[in-house]
Amino acid sequence: MATLHQAFSLFALIFFLTSGTGADQSTKTTQAIIGGSSRIGAIVDTSSRIGKEVVVAMEVAKEGCYGFGNQTFLQIKDSQKDAIDAALEAKELIYTLQVQAMIGPHTWEEVSLVAEIAREKQVPILSFADTAPEWAAERWPYLLQASPDKRVQMKAIAAIVQSWNWHEVTAIYEDTDSSARGVIPHLHDALREVNSEREPGIYAVQAYDIMRTIAIALNKNGSKRGEKELLENILDTDFHGLSGKVKFKNQKVASAEIFQIVNVIGMSYNELGYWSHGAGFSENIDGNKSKSMIDLGQVHWPGGPRDDPNGWTTLRIGVPSSSGYKEYVNVQNDGPSGKNFSGFTIEVFKETIKSIPFFPSYDFYDFVGEDYNELVKQIHLKTNHLCCACTFCPQHQKYDAVVGDVEIVASRYKYAEFTSPYTETGLVLIVPARSSSKAWSFIKPFTTTMWVLISVFTVYNGFVVWWIERKGCDELQGSIPNQIGIMLWLSFNTLLSLNAPKLHSNLSRMSGVVWLFVSLIIIQTYTANLTSMLTVQRLEPTVPSVEELLNSNAKVGYCTGSYVTEYLPSVLKFKLENLKKYGSEEEYFNGFKDKEISAAFIATPYAKLFLGRYCNRFIQIGETYKIGGFGFAFPRGSPLLASVNEALLNITENGTVQALEKTWITPKTCPEIQSESSSLGPHGFLVLFYITGGTTTAAFVIYVCRTNLSRDRKIWRTFSAVPKRWCSLRTPFTTRVASAEIPTHTFPEAPVPPASI
């Protein structure tokens, strides 16, 4: 009886919802069109709310379309949320009960098995599954997707959300796999007992339309009971049902392109207009289109407010009140009215959210405490509804965001997420400065390498000149020590004096002239650089490096509440007992003055203020450690973070942040400290050294070769005799013979032999 009552109430509601749409007329038509026996099977999960609604809707549709007198059989089987059970039930419906068409199931796992079983008998299956693979239509031509694609409808919902600039919405839906689903039927019965009714789900409406689709197809089929003809009739279906237009395309119910927007107001409703896919909103189907739903008219929100809800309550934003740098964060008592919050970080935040129209309202709250990690942790505590044990963070100190001189470090990401940094990132080392000693200033114009090269080339040129001139000058003779002294005197006399000694050899003159030219350039450069060094004030650090601090076991200062407490011991290896915290510029200065610390690690934004205030007393040394930077903190996964980041970049690019820096942060400009790079190296003089070295070497080689040739006179005679001998060989031999005279006494007279007797 309860089921019949439930079915009747649901039918009455559906009838009310379809009044004026022609559904009642079609129902009267289909009541009398079917005769004989028809068998329809259905597989649903009867334990779920959706399954219960579908069963009721199909029973209502069967009675409304056929009447109680016709022999129409609706066989409903329970899938029990299991694909194997659904397949077994489908086999019974097809082979035993011999149904002509099947409805359901809801999941694709169940549908795929059922379709495979129905493939041989070619029984049409109208599935509730929202999605199906593209290849399903080819493999199972009798499988039809009766549930339209929801993507277009979701686009309509997204357009509504976009119209109100909502960046976070909560979707309330039923998790069919949750343990709470069993409570829903009891809730339905309780509402019926007090004459209340709840709107049927979309699946119940679709089930009603599916039953009507089958009824129309069976009516067209008439006496023909073939599955192929029935499938063709189903695919030819075209009518307006409760769920919208029912028309198949590619074996799927075509998605709706136009949706009506209804504003539910208590027990009544107001039709606002329509949303068309690709066109937008309009008051009527053929009216002018708009991209925003706001143009459709006044929307009545739950609770009655006329202002558009933004979905947020007033945000609680924490601000550190213990910051020692009032230029960045300054929290002051403003009499009975409360606190006054100012400073660079506060103004940057205000300018950032001005360009975010949907940003919720907010209030600043001062955080009483020095530990910035604990301040950021308050965001995590509120998000997770936890209670902290510390004495300075009671319930009212949990925040939705944090604004202030809060540095971005990895350890704080456990509690919150940060925006992009809006200040310079980095940690620098500040040490006291002292005036550099000028006792050795005369060697600073050149680097050590430059001095070595000058000395080497000077001695080398002096040696070559001495070697060439020593044979022709008696003054360059003498003992070995005397000759070494003369050689060095020649070297530096050429470099430092224009009145160099008289040279006798052209080779030594050639070498000396080139070296004199180079020496003039070197002397002038040295003089100019030395003058610059002596006239410009130059500071040098009292501590040269971090390594010196570690080796000397010196004490080091750092900022109160800073991440540096963990960074210095773990990364830079400072001992905890050598670290001392300070909260302001004055405390740092007094710590240096009282010799409490030898150096201080300060974040780059603070370091600018400190050096600007105590100009020429302290200097920055070493590298900048690329960590930190100020940022705004929000809860992890906050939907506001992306918009705040975008707005922060915009005000940075358009110069707003730079203008605020000039207004709130105006450090004095200290004269730049000259570093060792002001000493000149050999790079700019290499060509000159190559020229003078090459010239001197060439002169030396020529002299050596010429000297060796002059020592060997035989070699010179040989070389000089060769041309003469060559010329003599060119005279004709016959000419020499003809002109020769033979002396008469060359041959002696022969003796006369005695006469013979």
Side-chain angles (χ1 to χ4, degrees):
M1 183 65 183
T3 303
L4 180 61
H5 187 196
Q6 183 182 34
F8 176 78
S9 300
L10 182 58
F11 173 73
L13 177 62
I14 294 174
F15 181 83
F16 171 76
L17 291 175
T18 58
S19 61
T21 64
D24 53 345
Q25 182 65 31
S26 62
T27 302
K28 294 178 181 179
T29 303
T30 54
Q31 283 179 339
I33 60 177
I34 301 300
S37 175
S38 301
R39 296 175 302 280
I40 302 173
I43 300 176
V44 296
D45 177 16
T46 58
S47 64
S48 67
R49 179 185 65 82
I50 293 176
K52 293 179 182 295
E53 290 183 352
V54 167
V55 170
V56 173
M58 289 189 296
E59 293 287 351
V60 171
K62 187 196 74 169
E63 296 175 8
C65 293
Y66 297 100
F68 291 101
N70 293 330
Q71 295 180 354
T72 302
F73 299 95
L74 176 62
Q75 300 292 335
I76 301 176
K77 298 294 184 178
D78 186 6
S79 67
Q80 301 181 16
K81 299 179 295 183
D82 185 81
I84 302 299
D85 289 339
L88 295 175
E89 298 294 350
K91 187 174 183 180
E92 181 181 355
L93 289 172
I94 294 172
Y95 289 95
T96 303
L97 300 177
Q98 296 182 354
V99 295
Q100 297 169 274
M102 288 181 58
I103 300 174
H106 283 86
T107 66
W108 171 245
E109 291 78 6
E110 297 173 349
V111 170
S112 60
L113 292 179
V114 171
E116 189 65 30
I117 293 174
R119 183 179 182 183
E120 181 180 355
K121 290 292 185 178
Q122 298 182 345
V123 176
I125 301 175
L126 285 80
S127 168
F128 288 117
D130 290 335
T131 58
E134 296 295 334
W135 50 264
E138 181 179 355
R139 180 176 179 83
W140 302 301
Y142 282 77
L143 175 61
L144 307 179
Q145 184 177 331
S147 177
D149 193 346
K150 301 297 190 304
R151 286 178 292 185
V152 178
Q153 186 178 4
M154 294 302 103
K155 289 182 179 180
I157 296 174
I160 294 174
V161 172
Q162 186 182 24
S163 296
W164 306 104
N165 286 323
W166 294 335
H167 280 236
E168 183 181 31
V169 295
T170 301
I172 302 175
Y173 62 97
E174 178 185 13
D175 185 358
T176 56
D177 293 330
S178 69
S179 58
R181 65 178 184 270
V183 180
I184 301 300
H186 301 290
L187 176 61
H188 179 76
D189 294 337
L191 291 173
R192 287 174 56 83
E193 290 176 1
V194 295
N195 296 323
S196 180
E197 187 59 78
R198 59 190 179 92
E199 183 177 353
I202 185 63
Y203 290 103
V205 176
Q206 290 175 355
Y208 184 92
D209 287 342
I210 291 173
M211 288 291 293
R212 184 179 170 189
T213 300
I214 296 175
I216 295 175
L218 289 173
N219 177 55
K220 290 182 179 180
N221 210 31
S223 60
K224 297 179 181 179
R225 297 297 179 181
E227 287 78 6
K228 184 175 182 181
E229 291 79 6
L230 180 59
L231 176 63
E232 292 176 353
N233 292 337
I234 292 175
L235 294 176
D236 291 338
T237 303
D238 187 357
F239 67 93
H240 287 278
L242 298 180
S243 60
K245 187 175 180 62
V246 179
K247 184 178 181 180
F248 286 88
K249 181 180 180 181
N250 298 328
Q251 295 183 229
K252 300 178 182 179
V253 173
S255 301
E257 298 291 326
I258 301 176
F259 295 89
Q260 186 177 16
I261 302 174
V262 178
N263 184 195
V264 178
I265 309 170
M267 299 299 294
S268 62
Y269 66 92
N270 180 31
E271 297 179 356
L272 295 177
Y274 299 87
W275 180 86
S276 302
H277 185 213
F281 298 93
S282 60
E283 293 185 359
N284 51 68
I285 295 179
D286 299 326
N288 296 328
K289 301 299 188 292
S290 172
K291 295 298 182 182
S292 176
M293 180 183 164
I294 299 176
D295 298 332
L296 298 183
Q298 177 65 41
V299 177
H300 296 272
W301 302 101
R306 296 187 62 86
D307 295 335
D308 301 332
N310 57 16
W312 298 88
T313 58
T314 301
L315 300 184
R316 295 174 55 89
I317 297 181
V319 179
S321 60
S322 60
S323 175
Y325 297 87
K326 304 305 179 183
E327 296 88 348
Y328 285 94
V329 183
N330 189 11
V331 181
Q332 295 179 328
N333 291 322
D334 198 13
S337 60
K339 303 284 186 178
N340 180 41
F341 299 87
S342 61
F344 173 71
T345 61
I346 301 298
E347 296 304 318
V348 170
F349 178 76
K350 290 179 179 179
E351 291 294 329
T352 300
I353 65 173
K354 281 182 181 180
S355 58
I356 307 177
F358 57 86
F359 197 89
S361 58
Y362 63 90
D363 291 323
F364 289 125
Y365 293 87
D366 62 316
F367 174 78
V368 181
E370 295 182 350
D371 191 348
Y372 278 36
N373 290 332
E374 193 65 36
L375 169 61
V376 176
K377 189 176 181 180
Q378 299 301 306
I379 299 177
H380 174 73
L381 294 176
K382 181 167 184 177
T383 304
N384 293 275
H385 305 288
L386 301 175
C387 184
C388 54
C390 57
T391 58
F392 54 84
C393 53
Q395 182 69 22
H396 70 276
Q397 280 191 326
K398 297 177 182 179
Y399 307 123
D400 299 294
V402 169
V403 174
D405 52 346
V406 180
E407 290 160 312
I408 304 172
V409 289
S411 60
R412 292 173 181 171
Y413 268 83
K414 296 184 295 183
Y415 311 121
E417 289 187 82
F418 291 85
T419 63
S420 302
Y422 54 89
T423 62
E424 291 184 54
T425 60
L427 183 69
V428 298
L429 179 60
I430 303 298
V431 299
R434 63 187 177 191
S435 298
S436 60
S437 174
K438 296 184 179 182
W440 294 92
S441 297
F442 66 92
I443 65 172
K444 296 299 180 68
F446 291 143
T447 61
T448 303
T449 304
M450 184 66 177
W451 282 119
V452 171
L453 283 177
I454 293 175
S455 301
V456 169
F457 276 90
T458 300
V459 173
Y460 177 63
N461 279 277
F463 167 77
V464 171
V465 171
W466 168 79
W467 185 269
I468 295 174
E469 295 289 333
R470 66 189 180 90
K471 292 295 183 180
C473 184
D474 296 336
E475 296 178 356
L476 302 180
Q477 304 296 327
S479 63
I480 293 178
N482 183 59
Q483 293 188 51
I484 293 176
I486 293 174
M487 181 190 69
L488 295 176
W489 174 78
L490 282 174
S491 301
F492 291 97
N493 189 52
T494 304
L495 175 65
L496 301 176
S497 176
L498 295 178
N499 298 319
K502 184 177 179 180
L503 302 177
H504 301 83
S505 173
N506 289 331
L507 294 176
S508 59
R509 292 178 187 137
M510 178 180 67
S511 175
V513 168
V514 175
W515 178 237
L516 181 61
F517 170 74
V518 174
S519 64
L520 287 175
I521 296 177
I522 292 176
I523 292 172
Q524 294 298 322
T525 304
Y526 172 86
T527 304
N529 203 20
L530 179 62
T531 303
S532 175
M533 288 183 173
L534 294 177
T535 54
V536 176
Q537 183 183 11
R538 187 169 180 269
L539 303 176
E540 62 182 19
T542 56
V543 180
S545 64
V546 175
E547 289 73 17
E548 180 67 22
L549 290 172
L550 292 171
N551 295 334
S552 62
N553 210 29
K555 294 191 178 298
V556 175
Y558 68 94
C559 185
T560 300
S562 173
Y563 63 93
V564 183
T565 309
E566 302 172 357
Y567 183 81
L568 292 180
S570 60
V571 179
L572 299 184
K573 308 305 180 184
F574 281 91
K575 297 179 181 179
L576 286 174
E577 58 269 21
N578 291 336
L579 302 180
K580 187 175 180 61
K581 62 181 180 180
Y582 297 94
S584 64
E585 301 170 7
E586 293 80 5
E587 292 182 10
Y588 276 119
F589 178 75
N590 292 331
F592 281 115
K593 181 180 179 182
D594 298 337
K595 306 297 182 181
E596 295 177 355
I597 55 175
S598 301
F601 285 93
I602 308 178
T604 302
Y606 299 150
K608 286 185 176 181
L609 294 175
F610 183 80
L611 294 176
R613 181 171 181 177
Y614 301 103
C615 195
N616 296 333
R617 299 186 184 183
F618 302 91
I619 60 174
Q620 172 187 338
I621 66 169
E623 62 180 310
T624 299
Y625 302 94
K626 294 296 182 181
I627 54 176
F630 295 163
F632 306 131
F634 286 88
R636 294 183 61 85
S638 172
L640 295 173
L641 187 62
S643 300
V644 173
N645 263 328
E646 181 182 358
L648 192 57
L649 289 174
N650 289 334
I651 67 170
T652 301
E653 293 174 359
N654 63 23
T656 303
V657 174
Q658 288 78 359
L660 292 175
E661 286 181 350
K662 293 180 180 179
T663 303
W664 291 93
I665 308 171
T666 54
K668 297 178 181 179
T669 302
C670 293
E672 295 184 359
I673 301 173
Q674 290 187 340
S675 62
E676 291 299 325
S677 60
S678 60
S679 298
L680 299 177
H683 182 73
F685 301 90
L686 288 179
V687 175
L688 295 176
F689 284 127
Y690 290 150
I691 293 174
T692 184
T695 304
T696 303
T697 302
F700 181 71
V701 170
I702 293 173
Y703 174 77
V704 170
C705 293
R706 189 176 66 183
T707 302
N708 290 335
L709 289 175
S710 64
R711 286 180 177 177
D712 194 349
R713 294 182 179 276
K714 293 182 179 181
I715 296 177
W716 278 110
R717 284 198 301 268
T718 301
F719 278 109
S720 60
V722 169
K724 295 179 180 180
R725 184 64 177 169
W726 177 254
C727 293
S728 63
L729 290 176
R730 294 180 63 184
T731 304
F733 178 75
T734 56
T735 304
R736 294 200 304 272
V737 173
S739 59
E741 295 181 357
I742 301 175
T744 58
H745 59 272
T746 302
F747 302 101
E749 295 181 357
V752 178
S756 61
I757 303 177

